[in-house]
Amino acid sequence: MRAVSLFRERFGGEPDGVWLAPGRANLMGEHTDYNEGFVLPFALGQGVTAAASRNPDRAGRRLTVCSRQEPGDTVEVDLDGLAPGRVTGWAAYPAGVAWALEAAGHRLPGACIAIDSDVPAGAGLSSSAALECATALALTSLAGLDVPRAELVTIARRAENEFAGVPTGIMDQSASLLCRAGHALLLDCRTLETSQVPFDPAAGGAGLLLINTRARHELADGEYGRRRAECEEAARRLGIRSLRDLTDLADTGSLTDPVLRRRVRHVFTDNQRVLEVVALLRASPGPSPGPSADTYREIGRLLTQAHASLRDDFEVSWPEADAAVEAAVGAGAYGARMIGGGFGGSVLALVPAAAAGPGSGPGSGPGSGPGSGPVRDAVTAAFARHGWTAPEFLDAVPSDSARQLSG
Ligand code: ADP
Ligand code: MG
């Protein structure tokens, strides 16, 4: 395990344990979280691994972290002096988790943590939450604490929002800590109620392909804030607490601003699409034989519809995502859409197993490489035509949440 070899290299000796927290993809429900609506993420097979041990021989309680993905950079922080703003860069995520755990009354020992990951960072697959959740499991286990998962979700989110200063919703940490293999997680962002929805495409002759467009457009952060403000303004003008409370699009007649009307239409229809996908999956005979090709075709149609809504109504898509969706659907995908906040990151495509090519099944990795299978070929060719950096393909298999691997 590469996290363990990094641990030996940097800290000497063996770690007390190894923990893994997955990245996530969101099947449906984008920009619905901060409108108190629904999201439907699933955990990926790809994740962040933390090899860690208590650090008892030093004076004071120090947290020392290093990452295979941040070479040369070992960061040491004093647990007693932690406060938002004191740690910058990638170490703000693990340090923020320690800070949020202590703020919640959980006393931690000093620790050394070596990180490795196969979730590409900044690709909209939530490497940041995976890093937080792997750290949270490692630190609480080393401290001998048994903190309920629901509380860890809140703690990891606080680390991201308040310590690292990234204003995100509750979805990413919930997915990393609460998902189950072969399921997606229906999360009600108002009540924080969750439920498991059977979702195992491989069992039904389908596959999920992630296309990292490798694009990151500068406007991402500013536009995200603007969309949030627009949604709040629309809710205010409609006289409702949040857009979640809209029960009929016909009730938006009083909203005259065409931009706000489009934003509202996206949030409303995307919430509905989440519930439609859940209904389709729950109506299927499971676990075996699982949903039929017709069910996947219907979910695919909803995915592509969601992409159009994000592109035209919410206006957060980007050229590489539009091209990837068009090429994937043209080559036989059931459907595809951009995932994440927008203006960069990844596209999720639901494909018949045959169209994904080798590498789309469970247990197979991206090692089978791009260029195999008509969907990958078509997307690769479209990117080449535009002169864009070749996309990266990852197989997405709904997987288990964060867990201890050894120790
Ligand atoms: P996403 O969560 O979609 O991958 P973010 O911008 O939210 O994108 O988080 C990416 C950031 O998380 C990186 O810039 C880095 O600071 C941190 N990060 C993610 N993975 C690692 C890793 N393996 N090692 C160190 N830092 C990481
Ligand atoms: Mg993130």
Side-chain angles (χ1 to χ4, degrees):
M1 225 179 300
R2 284 162 28 114
V4 174
S5 59
L6 180 65
F7 184 96
R8 289 187 190 123
E9 218 171 89
R10 296 292 180 92
F11 303 123
E14 294 299 309
D16 292 337
V18 182
W19 293 265
L20 170 80
R24 61 100 188 95
N26 185 18
L27 183 57
M28 196 63 85
E30 218 63 78
H31 290 274
T32 48
D33 56 350
Y34 55 81
N35 290 298
E36 299 190 309
F38 302 102
V39 292
L40 190 60
F42 60 90
L44 299 174
Q46 295 83 354
V48 168
T49 309
S53 70
R54 261 178 304 269
N55 187 3
D57 344 297
R58 291 164 183 262
R61 294 183 306 138
R62 301 188 68 76
L63 174 67
T64 310
V65 291
C66 61
S67 164
R68 174 84 65 189
Q69 283 71 44
E70 299 278 345
D73 190 10
T74 292
V75 184
E76 196 162 65
V77 298
D78 189 341
L79 287 180
D80 288 310
L82 283 181
R86 293 261 172 91
V87 184
T88 54
W90 76 272
Y93 295 99
V97 169
W99 167 79
L101 278 166
E102 294 237 318
H106 304 297
R107 176 87 179 164
L108 301 175
C112 295
I113 306 181
I115 297 290
D116 185 35
S117 169
D118 60 356
V119 187
L125 305 178
S126 205
S127 66
S128 59
L131 176 56
E132 290 149 16
C133 296
T135 305
L137 280 197
L139 288 175
T140 49
S141 300
L142 292 176
L145 298 166
D146 187 14
V147 183
R149 291 274 167 131
E151 189 187 339
L152 285 183
V153 168
T154 313
I155 285 168
R157 183 197 181 179
R158 264 198 98 186
E160 177 133 3
N161 292 173
E162 294 176 43
F163 201 92
V166 186
T168 51
I170 195 82
M171 170 169 65
D172 300 350
Q173 293 80 11
S174 300
S176 192
L177 286 164
L178 303 175
C179 280
R180 274 209 228 128
H183 291 77
L185 183 78
L186 174 62
L187 171 61
D188 181 330
C189 298
R190 169 169 281 171
T191 63
L192 300 189
E193 255 176 278
T194 57
S195 62
Q196 303 287 341
V197 182
F199 182 48
D200 186 9
L208 290 158
L209 188 64
L210 280 166
I211 304 157
N212 176 5
T213 68
R214 298 190 200 260
R216 184 89 207 138
H217 298 284
E218 279 310 315
L219 7 100
D221 293 348
E223 291 293 319
Y224 180 82
R226 246 176 71 188
R227 292 302 177 280
R228 285 186 78 139
E230 288 166 344
C231 290
E232 274 165 34
E233 177 60 18
R236 199 186 59 77
R237 291 196 198 174
L238 289 168
I240 51 182
R241 174 176 140 176
S242 75
L243 295 184
R244 155 71 174 273
D245 294 312
L246 193 62
T247 47
D248 190 341
L249 263 188
D251 296 341
T252 57
S254 64
L255 204 59
T256 48
D257 183 303
V259 173
L260 293 189
R261 286 182 69 87
R262 288 204 299 275
R263 304 297 187 251
V264 168
R265 188 164 57 191
H266 167 72
V267 173
F268 180 80
T269 57
D270 231 36
N271 272 326
Q272 282 196 321
R273 280 185 286 269
V274 171
L275 300 179
E276 281 179 62
V277 170
V278 169
L280 282 163
L281 289 170
R282 290 210 163 125
S284 304
S288 171
S292 64
D294 280 346
T295 301
Y296 287 119
R297 212 167 282 123
E298 192 57 21
I299 294 172
R301 192 184 62 76
L302 291 167
L303 285 174
T304 309
Q305 200 184 76
H307 185 76
S309 177
L310 287 158
R311 184 190 59 209
D312 303 335
D313 280 347
F314 220 66
E315 296 178 279
V316 293
S317 189
W318 62 103
E320 291 87 347
D322 296 339
V325 168
E326 194 189 319
V329 172
Y334 289 130
R337 74 171 186 92
M338 56 154 280
I339 58 169
F343 303 103
S346 299
V347 161
L348 177 69
L350 180 64
V351 295
S360 69
S364 57
S368 47
S372 50
V375 170
R376 291 177 194 229
D377 285 349
V379 175
T380 302
F383 274 52
R385 263 199 311 279
H386 284 281
W388 295 330
T389 306
E392 176 188 14
F393 297 98
L394 289 90
D395 299 315
V397 177
S399 299
D400 268 325
S401 64
R403 59 202 177 270
Q404 182 157 10
L405 295 181
S406 67

